[in-house]
Amino acid sequence: AEGGGLTRESKLTLNVQVAPDYSLEVSPATVTVKQGASVTVAVNVKRNETMNDPVDLTVTGAPAGMKVTVDPAKVPADKASATLKIEVPATGVDAKDYTLTITGKAPGIADKTAFLKVTVQLVDFSLKAEPSMVTIRPGASTEVKISIIRTNFTDPVSFRAKNVPAGLSVTFSPASTTGNETTVTIAAAADAAPGSYSFTVEGTAAGKTKTVTISVTIGD
């Protein structure tokens, strides 16, 4: 101000405070989980210097059967992350890609979102008989190889024969295996009646049962 030849100055200090805000980050942003298994990822809450509130987290987009949990579901002000756990049952969830949406809610701040890509891998097996048709003379025997075709499947497979016709006996070597094959020995009794027959080889593992049919002709 000026007056009477005098000049005075005054200074005004203005402090601009940054509005509270935060962002969400999922680490890693893509995961692969096998059927019957689980996986965890981190949900990071990145607050700015004025953000001092808890953040509520919710997850959507999971298919029926997939169990998703967040711990803690309310991330306290003094904590910067939560653990997201995904559990996939052995059956009931198709093997394909899913996108989960993680939503964050905090007072006075627009909702935040982050995305997680989940690839569910097929876990299964099937059986193949080589050969699937054999001819046996009465009193003789033959062997059939049962191949186990595994897809991300490591459990032991146990074998048994069902509906074996009279006059035939069936044994497995080995009867249970974590490998990729077993040998079926089919023996015909000396008095086995000539004719065409069949029986079923059943393989069971981890609650899954697969079958393959072997046809047997008894005769010369």
Side-chain angles (χ1 to χ4, degrees), residues 196-211:
S196 296
Y197 308 92
S198 67
F199 65 92
T200 300
V201 171
E202 186 176 85
T204 302
K208 300 175 183 285
T209 298
K210 308 293 180 176
T211 61

Side-chain angles (χ1 to χ4, degrees), residues 21-200:
D21 203 2
Y22 71 99
S23 63
L24 293 180
E25 178 188 77
V26 182
S27 180
T30 62
V31 292
T32 298
V33 58
K34 296 178 182 179
Q35 291 172 331
S38 64
V39 67
T40 59
V41 301
V43 181
N44 298 314
V45 179
K46 296 188 171 183
R47 298 176 174 87
N48 68 2
E49 62 269 24
T50 59
M51 168 57 173
N52 297 305
D53 290 311
V55 176
D56 290 303
L57 299 177
T58 57
V59 183
T60 56
M66 179 185 287
K67 183 180 179 182
V68 179
T69 54
V70 185
D71 183 26
K74 179 186 285 290
V75 182
D78 61 350
K79 191 173 176 65
S81 67
T83 299
L84 174 61
K85 184 176 183 180
I86 300 162
E87 298 173 83
V88 179
T91 59
V93 175
D94 291 339
K96 62 179 185 180
D97 292 340
Y98 301 91
T99 299
L100 306 186
T101 301
I102 298 91
T103 302
K105 292 181 180 291
I109 301 175
D111 291 355
K112 306 294 183 179
T113 56
F115 302 96
L116 173 65
K117 179 184 175 183
V118 181
T119 299
V120 175
Q121 281 189 334
L122 178 68
V123 177
D124 206 357
F125 73 99
S126 61
L127 304 177
K128 181 180 179 181
E130 299 174 295
S132 60
M133 302 178 66
V134 295
T135 298
I136 311 174
R137 293 183 179 182
S141 65
T142 191
E143 292 182 348
V144 172
K145 183 178 76 172
I146 303 294
S147 297
I148 307 167
I149 299 92
R150 297 176 178 270
T151 304
N152 301 310
F153 194 87
T154 58
D155 288 42
V157 180
S158 299
F159 293 95
R160 68 169 182 163
K162 296 182 65 179
N163 304 318
V164 179
L168 291 179
S169 64
V170 177
T171 56
F172 296 93
S173 180
S176 178
T177 181
T178 55
N180 296 322
E181 67 178 54
T182 188
T183 299
V184 185
T185 300
I186 307 165
D191 59 353
S196 296
Y197 308 92
S198 67
F199 65 92
T200 300

